[in-house]
Amino acid sequence: MKKAWSSTDLLATKYDEINWEGEWYDNFANPEARGIWSVKGQSGNGKTSFLLQLAKELSKKGRVLYNSLEEGNSKTMREAWKKHGLADCGRKIQLIKEDISELTVRLEKRQSPNIIIIDSFQYTDFNWKSFLKFKNKFHHKLFIFNQQMDGNKIMDKTGIRVNFDADLKIEVVGFKAFSKGRSFGKFFKEGFLIWDEGAQNYWGK
């Protein structure tokens, strides 16, 4: 039987956090630098742009692996990569297209990246059992899943459960990203601005 935590134990625990500043902190505070984040949003609302901006910001914390299961190194991904200045990060951000078995082998290596963005969850073929096994195996790493949508809902049941389980839930709407659970900045209701012109056109401001 595992030891129970006392109040003293809990309050004395130190966490490895993402120490953000500015708009990132205002919207998402300082979340723990491990666990599961889930990003959902309908197509055409700026979700890919947000994920790339997020990758660039997180590269200040550690090395980031962007697993583009949908686009890989396509021309559209290259243009988005250039647009958001990810080349400026050098080898702190790497782009791959690997299924979960290949990714597992990569992450088992010493000094593998601790921040992994997977685009998208629906291309992983995870079921709930295999997801939990993967999550527990790499419990010290941070995984950020892009979630595909079917109308207003996440596309599959496992994706819905993963979103519910996530430490940080983010919804992208009208070129803004909103924190939807467990980690809130003081201005989270205003949303993180992804693209000014697009947001103005959507929100009418």
Side-chain angles (χ1 to χ4, degrees), residues 67-79:
N67 192 6
S68 180
L69 292 171
E70 292 187 44
E71 296 189 63
N73 64 342
S74 65
K75 183 178 179 180
T76 54
M77 177 57 75
R78 185 187 70 180
E79 294 306 306

Side-chain angles (χ1 to χ4, degrees), residues 86-99:
L86 271 71
D88 298 341
C89 302
R91 293 186 63 81
K92 288 185 177 180
I93 302 179
Q94 292 182 304
L95 178 68
I96 61 170
K97 184 178 182 179
E98 295 181 350
D99 63 27

Side-chain angles (χ1 to χ4, degrees), residues 120-184:
S120 64
F121 179 83
Q122 283 67 30
Y123 277 67
T124 64
D125 290 328
F126 274 132
N127 57 37
W128 183 242
K129 184 177 180 179
S130 61
F131 165 74
L132 288 179
K133 182 178 179 180
F134 182 81
K135 171 188 172 182
N136 292 332
K137 181 179 181 67
F138 299 111
H139 60 89
H140 55 292
K141 296 183 183 290
L142 172 60
F143 291 93
I144 302 164
F145 291 103
N146 175 22
Q147 299 275 7
Q148 290 184 336
M149 304 287 287
D150 182 10
N152 293 321
K153 295 182 178 181
I154 292 173
M155 193 168 285
D156 63 86
K157 292 182 179 179
T158 304
I160 292 170
R161 292 186 74 177
V162 169
N163 185 71
F164 182 81
D165 180 66
D167 303 292
L168 180 57
K169 304 171 179 64
I170 299 172
E171 183 172 10
V172 175
V173 181
F175 301 97
K176 288 187 175 185
F178 300 88
S179 179
K180 291 294 182 178
R182 299 193 188 182
S183 186
F184 299 101

